[in-house]
Amino acid sequence: MTIGAGGGTVTVDSPDSAIDGLSLSVPQGAVPDGTTFSISSQPYGGTVPASSTALTPLIQIDNGGAFADDFMTVTIPIDLPEGNFAMGFIVNEGDKLEGLPLVDLSATSITVATRHFSDLLILTIPEADLPESVSTGFFPGRDDWEFPNTGSYLDPAGNCAGQTLTMAWYFYEKRLAPGPALYGRYDNNGGDPTPVTWKDNSNGYRFASIVQEDVDWNGGLRNGFKALYKDGSDALTWKAFLYSIFITHEPQYVAVYREGGGHALLVYGVDRIKGELLIADPNYQGDTKRRIRYVNGKFEPYKSGSSTKSIKSGQVRIYPNIVYFAKTACVPWAKITARWAEFEAGTIGDGKFLPYELKISSDKDAET
């Protein structure tokens, strides 16, 4: 079916199909006029993770690989066993799984959200089989950036999304290769280390700032907060973090927001017994004690700020809404990879950050 810029809905109406009743919703302005969507399915030939069962075949949705300007949702009929939790996963090359943002779940259907399409699969697990704790190997002070989130020329209010996404990208693409840890690796742009001076990691800061601008923090991502968060959905979000890390062993992007602003974080572990999400916060680099707490089926509001600078000035913000945001379903991962190539070449930010000269003036005379 072809969908225009005004948006639309595609529904599979084929009683003999394993995905009969699947519905794809594209909001207004999400895709260019004349975008064609093709939906098909086939049996999943990969290995299903331990304790899990596939509720659907491998679902293939193709719109030419374009990254949408807003979140599209897919509602899929399922038969969820009583006492089970279910979640959608992107199936990447080599059957590598990646969680999808979870919008809604019932005994008869599941709704997931994404800004681009790939093969996807719905998995389920008995809630009794969810582990007491999960970890990823990510650790603040080793795998985050060593510089604070003070903001830059491009975004003086802060680069939290850019810092979170770039340190996550490095962990996924480089650290797990395996490779060296990120924290301090590019201090002084790879020159002689200057541990007490973070500002000379200018290329790293430019990398985070450019990615912040690339992913449209003030547009598509922020709209996604409101699209994905629903009152009473904390229990689903909690299980989504627990299950996705259990399946992938990778940190997960978490968005927190309030009316008037949001903040980006990384969840690198879950403690089910203590009811805690373990958090890497760009405002508290190297801090291993940051937590989002889950008590009696609800998340406690998270305290942070738009930047470290705003926190120091007394503008601590309380974020009551917690959203599971995944990664490539929300941001153009290939663009971060391209920016990394510019980072390695030392050209990151050229043309975006204005050239400047430093002049030194003597107190004794006016010569410079």
Side-chain angles (χ1 to χ4, degrees):
M1 180 174 178
T2 299
I3 291 181
T9 300
V10 181
T11 301
V12 176
D13 183 10
S14 178
D16 295 332
S17 170
I19 54 172
D20 181 45
L22 180 150
S23 177
L24 163 64
S25 179
V26 182
Q28 181 178 358
V31 298
D33 196 33
T35 300
T36 300
F37 288 82
S38 174
I39 304 173
S40 60
S41 69
Q42 65 181 48
Y44 179 55
T47 301
V48 176
S51 304
S52 298
T53 304
L55 287 179
T56 65
L58 189 68
I59 300 169
Q60 298 155 319
I61 302 177
D62 182 18
N63 67 333
F67 204 89
D69 290 333
D70 206 342
F71 280 84
M72 302 171 285
T73 58
V74 185
T75 299
I76 305 163
I78 59 172
D79 184 8
L80 184 66
E82 186 175 354
N84 274 38
F85 174 70
M87 188 172 170
F89 290 87
I90 292 173
V91 183
N92 293 311
E93 187 176 352
D95 291 325
K96 189 173 178 61
L97 299 176
E98 174 193 334
L100 279 165
L102 178 60
V103 178
D104 202 8
L105 177 65
S106 72
T108 58
S109 70
I110 184 171
T111 302
V112 298
T114 183
R115 292 175 69 188
H116 83 99
F117 285 111
S118 181
D119 295 347
L120 65 97
L121 184 71
I122 307 301
L123 296 178
T124 185
I125 187 172
E127 292 194 18
D129 289 343
L130 288 169
E132 292 184 350
S133 65
V134 289
S135 60
T136 61
F138 185 101
F139 203 70
R142 185 183 67 192
D143 296 302
D144 55 346
W145 289 108
E146 77 278 6
F147 48 74
N149 173 36
T150 62
S152 73
Y153 168 76
L154 293 183
D155 196 339
N159 303 300
C160 60
Q163 284 186 226
T164 296
L165 288 168
T166 51
M167 68 188 184
W169 182 94
Y170 185 90
F171 188 81
Y172 297 140
E173 306 296 339
K174 300 295 180 180
R175 182 81 166 106
L176 297 178
L182 179 63
Y183 195 94
R185 173 166 171 73
Y186 298 99
D187 181 21
N188 197 17
N189 289 337
D192 294 334
T194 56
V196 297
T197 305
W198 62 265
K199 295 180 181 179
D200 53 15
N201 186 350
S202 57
N203 286 338
Y205 214 91
R206 283 185 171 207
F207 181 35
S209 297
I210 291 293
V211 169
Q212 172 89 14
E213 185 179 62
D214 283 342
V215 299
D216 189 18
W217 170 251
N218 292 315
L221 285 181
R222 185 159 291 160
N223 291 340
F225 291 169
K226 298 176 182 179
L228 297 179
Y229 180 79
K230 291 184 177 181
D231 289 336
S233 66
D234 285 0
L236 290 181
T237 301
W238 167 257
K239 293 169 190 173
F241 281 115
L242 183 62
Y243 190 34
S244 60
I245 294 179
F246 175 57
I247 292 294
T248 68
H249 309 290
E250 294 180 346
Q252 305 293 310
Y253 188 113
V254 56
V256 299
Y257 79 99
R258 61 182 183 87
E259 289 301 321
H263 187 43
L265 311 162
L266 203 64
V267 174
Y268 62 91
V270 183
D271 190 324
R272 190 180 182 187
I273 303 303
K274 293 182 179 179
E276 295 178 341
L277 300 179
L278 283 60
I279 298 297
D281 187 335
N283 290 335
Y284 298 92
Q285 70 277 15
D287 190 337
T288 62
K289 297 181 180 179
R290 305 298 298 179
R291 301 288 188 271
I292 293 177
R293 290 182 167 81
Y294 180 73
V295 181
N296 296 325
K298 294 286 293 181
F299 285 115
E300 293 183 348
Y302 181 74
K303 294 182 181 180
S304 189
S306 60
S307 68
T308 52
K309 187 164 50 180
S310 67
I311 293 171
K312 287 180 180 178
S313 67
Q315 299 178 46
V316 175
R317 302 302 185 199
I318 297 176
Y319 301 96
N321 305 320
I322 315 297
V323 178
Y324 174 83
F325 227 51
K327 53 173 185 176
T328 72
C330 304
V331 298
W333 206 246
K335 184 172 284 190
I336 303 178
T337 302
R339 292 303 191 187
W340 173 258
E342 295 173 9
F343 170 84
E344 288 191 307
T347 61
I348 186 72
D350 288 359
K352 293 283 189 177
F353 289 87
L354 297 181
Y356 62 89
E357 292 181 348
L358 297 179
K359 294 185 177 182
I360 302 173
S361 178
S362 169
D363 290 337
K364 295 180 180 180
D365 55 54
E367 294 181 2
T368 59

